[in-house]
Structure formats: C-alpha cells, structure tokens
Amino acid sequence: MVAEGAGTTRAQIVDAANRLFSVKGFEHTSFAAIAETVGISRGTFYQAELPERMRAKAKRRGRRV
C-alpha cells in the first residue's frame, strides 16, 4: 500500500493506467489490473478515484463542490 498520501496514490494510478493502456489497450485494462500494478487494493483504488468522479458528476449537473 502507498503511504505517501492520496495525491501520490492518484498520480501512481494515472501513471499505471497510462502504461497499461499503451500495452493492453483501454478496452482490455481493468480497474483490478491498474490497482495490482500500483500495488494497492481495489478498495484503495476506488477511494482515490471516487471523490474525483463525484466532483465531475456534480460539475456536469451545475452544482458547486
């Protein structure tokens, strides 16, 4: 598990995802594979990504976050 904090974890997730996308393609890259590449659990993956997804969804609906 990554101890540096959510910002570092998120950066590591994005980096791992980009590497996997270039090798396997977007359609064949799973959340589980990204989490495994980073060395985190899927739960940690979702915790790192969920707040951003919620902010994006609220923004699309015209709400302040």
Side-chain angles (χ1 to χ4, degrees):
M1 184 176 213
V2 178
E4 290 86 2
T8 300
T9 301
R10 190 170 197 316
Q12 290 173 322
I13 289 170
V14 169
D15 182 56
N18 286 329
R19 284 184 280 134
L20 289 170
F21 295 157
S22 70
V23 173
K24 300 170 99 178
F26 181 80
E27 298 83 13
H28 301 289
T29 301
S30 67
F31 292 146
I34 296 168
E36 183 178 330
T37 300
V38 176
I40 59 175
S41 70
R42 282 188 289 177
T44 300
F45 174 89
Y46 292 121
Q47 287 177 345
E49 290 299 309
L50 186 58
E52 181 62 30
R53 289 172 190 244
M54 291 174 71
R55 282 191 291 275
K57 186 176 183 178
K59 188 175 180 180
R60 282 193 306 273
R61 292 183 177 185
R63 296 182 184 155
R64 289 188 64 182
V65 283

